[in-house]
Amino acid sequence: MAAPPPPAVLIAHLAAVLSSPDWRFHPSLPHLPALLAPSLPRTLLVPLPLRLAAAVARAAAPSRHLLGISLPVVLRLHALSPPQHRPLFDRPFRSLLAHFARFALTPLMLRLFAHMHRYAPPAPTGATYNALIRALCRRADLRRAQRYLSLMVRSGWRPDAFTFNSMIVGYCRTQQVEAARDLFDKMPLRGFRQDIVSYAALIEGLCETGRIDEALELFREMERPDMHTYVALVKGLCDSGRREEGLCMLQKIKEQGWRPSTRAYTAVVDLWCRERKADEAEKMLAEMFDNGLAPSVVTCTAVVNAYCREGRMSHAVRVFESMKLKGCEPNVWTYNALVRGFCNERKVHKAMSLLDQMRAFGVEPDVVTYNLLIRGQCIDGHIESAFRLLRLMERDGIAADQYTWNALIDALCKDGKTDEACSIFDGLEDRGIRPNSVTFNTLIDGLCKTGKVDVAQTFLEKMISASCAPDTYTYSPFIQNLCKTKGWQDGLSFIDEMLQKDVKPSTVNYTIVIDKLFKERNYGLATRTWEKMLSLGCSPDVVTYTTSVHAYCNEGRLDEAENVMMEMNKSGVTIDAMAYNTLMDGYASIGQTDHAVTVLKNMTSVASVPNHFTFLILLRHLLERRLAEHVPLKASRVWKTIELADIFKLFELMKENGVPSSARAYLAILDGFSEDRRLDEVTSLVYRMKEDDLPLNEDIYSALVNFFCKLRMYPDAWALLCSMTGHGFVPSLLSYQHLLSGLAAEGQTDRAKEIFRDSRWKDYNPDEIVWKVIIDGLIRKGHSDMCHDMISILEQMKCKPSDQTYAMLTEELSTRE
C-alpha cells in the first residue's frame, strides 16, 4: 500500500477543494480526516467541516510551517459551516491558539482572534484573551496587549492571575520594572496570590535592568523557586560580572536535580569569554554538549573568538572543528573570528585558506571577511596582495567601504608611499566613499613622518572644509614633528594653541612632549607637564608610563622605575613588552642581570610576550660582561660577536631564576643567528632544543626553512618543509617562494616542478598560491617559463584560481616578455 501524501500536500489539496463552489461533493473530502490525523476518533455524528478542521489542527501542530498554511483552511471551513455548527469550532480554535502560542506565532493568533471576534460564535473567551495578551507581552508589544486587555474587560471578562502575570512580563520586557513591581504588589489586593510565575517574571525583569540585589531579595521570599527563576539569576549575575555568585547559582540548579538550561550555560560561557578565560568557557561549552544541550552558533563563536583574542589559534580551531562535528554549523561571524585571529598572528595564508572552506560550507564571505584579509596582507607587508584581494572582493559584488580604503591608505603611508596614498584619497569621492577622520589622520601622520609637513597642512585644511573635525590624533603628528625638528618648546606651544581653540589635548599629545623632555633630562618641566596633563583629566597610558620608566632607568634609579610599573598595574594599564624591555635594560645596564631575568619571568600576558628585542637586551649585557666593554645595542654587532657559550649562559640564568627556556626564546635567537648566516650555531641550537624536550613549532620550522634557502641549502629546506607538514603545520607561502625560486635560479627547474607537484596546495587559497609563489616569486625573478606547468598542476589538484587571478597572471607575463 502506498504511503499517504505528506500533511502539507493534503492541506494544500483541501484548500484548493474549498475554493470551488461545489466543494461539499468532492469525493476526497470524507477520506481526508483519517489521512491528516489517523489518531482522530472516527465518527459520522460530527459534521464533516468540523472533522476536517480538527484533523487539520492536529496535523499542523508539530510544525510552524504547517500551522501557517492551516489557519486559512480552518477559517474557511468555519465560514462555510452553517451558523448552528459554528460554536462547535471552539475546540480546534483553542488547539490552534495553544500551538500558535507555543511557537510564538503572534500574527497568526491575532488573525484567528479577529476572525472569532467578527464571525462569532465561537466568540473569544477569557482564555483566548489571556493567550493573546501573554503572547503580545512576551513580544514586548505592551501597547497592543493593553488594548486587548481593555477589550477583554469591555467584553465582560474579568482579568485573573494569568492576566496579571502576563502584564508583569510585558512591563519587564519593555524595561518598565517599576510598573511591573507595582502590579506585582497589587495582586493580593485584587484577590490573586502571587505565584511562582509572578515572582519569576519580576525577578527576570529586575535582572535584565541590572537590579540584581533587588532580584535576590525577591528570590529569598520565594518558597520553592523553579528552574526558570534560577536561570534568570544566573544570567543576571553573570551579565553584571558577579561570576562567583553566578556559578554558585548554577551549582544550586544542579543540586536541585535539574539539568541547567542552555540559557544558563550560555550566560556563564559569555562571562568567561568576557573575562578572557577561554579555557573555562570551553569546559562549560563541553558540559553543555555532554548534557545533550545544543549551544547556539553565537555561543560557540564566542568561545572561538575568546581563544583568537588570546592568540591561541590551535585551541580556537579545535573548538571550531568540534562545533561542526556536533551539528552546530559555523556562520560568517565564526569564520571572521578565525580570520581575524590568524591575521593577528601574522598567519595570513591560513586566514586566506578559510575563504575556500567558507564557500564549501555554503557561507559567503562578507565585507568584514575581506577587510580583515586586506588588513592582514597589509600588516604582513604584502600591499600588492591586499590590492589583489580588493579586486576579488569587487568580483564578488562586495563594495569596498571606508575601512577597506583606510587600511590600504594606512599600509601605503607606513611603506612611505604617500603619493599613492594621496592618489587613492583623491578618488574616494568618485567611488561614493566619504573620507572620515581616520582617513585624514592616517594621511596626515604618514605625510608628517616622511617630512611632507606642508602637504599634511593642506590635508588638515581639507579636513576642516569637509566638516570633519580634527581631533587629538590629527594634531599628534604635527606635535611630533615640531618636537623633533624645533624642540619641546614648539611642541608645548602647539598644545597651548589647541587649548585656545577649545580642542582638549589628549594623553598622546602630552606624552610626545613629556618623552622629549625626559630625553633632554629636563625632569622638572616633564613632571610639571605630567601634572598639567592630569589636571585636564588625561590619564597616562602605557607609552606615557614607559617614557618615565626609561628616564628613571637612564638615571640608574631602578626603584623609582619599579614604582612606576606598580603604578601602571594599580591604574589598570596593561604593561606591554616595550615597558618590560625598558626595565630589563635598566637592570642589565647596572650589572643586575638576575633582576633583568626576573623581569622576563613577569612577561606573561598576551600584551607582554617576550620578543626578539627582549633576548637581544639580555645577550648584549652578557656579551658586555664577557668582553668587559660596552656593546652598542645594534643587532648586527651583537649577532656577529655572540657565541653559543653566551646563549647557554643565558639559559642557565633563566633556569636559576625560574624561567624555563622556551620555543619563543629559541626562535628569537635562531632569527638572530640566521641574519648573520651562522649555520653551526643554528644547528647546535636545534639539537639543544631536542635536549630540552622542546619540539619544533610552526614558527621555528619556518625560520629554519627560510634560513636554509638563504644559504642555498635547498635539499635541507625541502626536508624541513616535509617534516613540517608531516607534523600538521602549514608552511608559509613565502617559504615555498624562496625554495622554488632558489631552485629555479640554480637551473633545477625539474626539481622545482617536482616539489610543486608533491606539495599540499589544498591547504591554501589558490589565488594566493598564484600571487605569492608564481607571480611574486617565479615570474618576477625571471622564471616565467615554469608558470604554465605549475598552473596546470594546480588545476589537476582542483585548486583552480579565480578568473581575476588568471587576468593578473596574464598581465604579469605580458610585462615580462
Side-chain angles (χ1 to χ4, degrees), residues 80-208:
L80 291 172
S81 296
Q84 65 270 26
H85 290 164
R86 289 182 183 175
L88 303 174
F89 276 76
D90 178 61
R91 182 170 291 181
F93 281 177
R94 279 191 286 114
S95 172
L96 283 174
L97 274 171
H99 296 309
F100 291 158
R102 182 162 63 93
F103 285 102
L105 298 171
T106 311
L108 297 183
M109 294 182 76
L110 289 166
R111 185 175 172 185
L112 177 54
F113 181 91
H115 182 91
M116 292 172 70
H117 196 265
R118 184 175 181 183
Y119 298 105
T125 63
T128 313
Y129 278 103
N130 272 337
L132 183 56
I133 290 168
R134 171 61 62 89
L136 291 167
C137 286
R138 282 179 174 165
R139 287 184 61 183
D141 193 348
L142 186 62
R143 186 172 297 176
R144 193 179 292 184
Q146 288 170 331
R147 287 206 302 267
Y148 280 99
L149 176 60
S150 299
L151 184 60
M152 177 182 184
V153 173
R154 290 201 304 272
S155 299
W157 297 100
R158 182 172 177 262
D160 55 15
F162 190 97
T163 323
F164 272 84
N165 288 342
S166 297
M167 295 304 295
I168 289 171
V169 169
Y171 280 122
C172 289
R173 293 278 170 94
T174 53
Q175 309 289 302
Q176 300 180 60
V177 183
E178 289 300 334
R181 184 68 195 243
D182 183 59
L183 201 58
F184 177 85
D185 292 337
K186 286 178 179 175
M187 285 182 73
L189 303 176
R190 301 289 179 89
F192 303 119
R193 185 172 176 269
Q194 297 148 335
D195 59 13
I196 196 166
V197 178
S198 321
Y199 275 97
L202 185 53
I203 286 171
E204 184 171 11
L206 290 166
C207 288
E208 289 290 335

Side-chain angles (χ1 to χ4, degrees), residues 360-417:
F361 277 94
V363 179
E364 285 300 315
D366 60 8
V367 67
V368 176
T369 317
Y370 276 109
N371 282 343
L372 289 169
L373 290 169
I374 287 170
R375 176 179 165 273
Q377 295 283 4
C378 290
I379 290 172
D380 257 15
H382 304 306
I383 301 175
E384 200 162 353
S385 290
F387 279 97
R388 290 162 177 160
L389 264 169
L390 177 66
R391 288 169 67 176
L392 291 190
M393 180 180 182
E394 291 169 343
R395 175 208 68 176
D396 284 349
I398 299 173
D401 59 13
Q402 275 183 345
Y403 187 98
T404 321
W405 294 109
N406 286 346
L408 292 167
I409 289 170
D410 181 56
L412 289 168
C413 287
K414 284 177 178 171
D415 201 38
K417 298 176 179 177

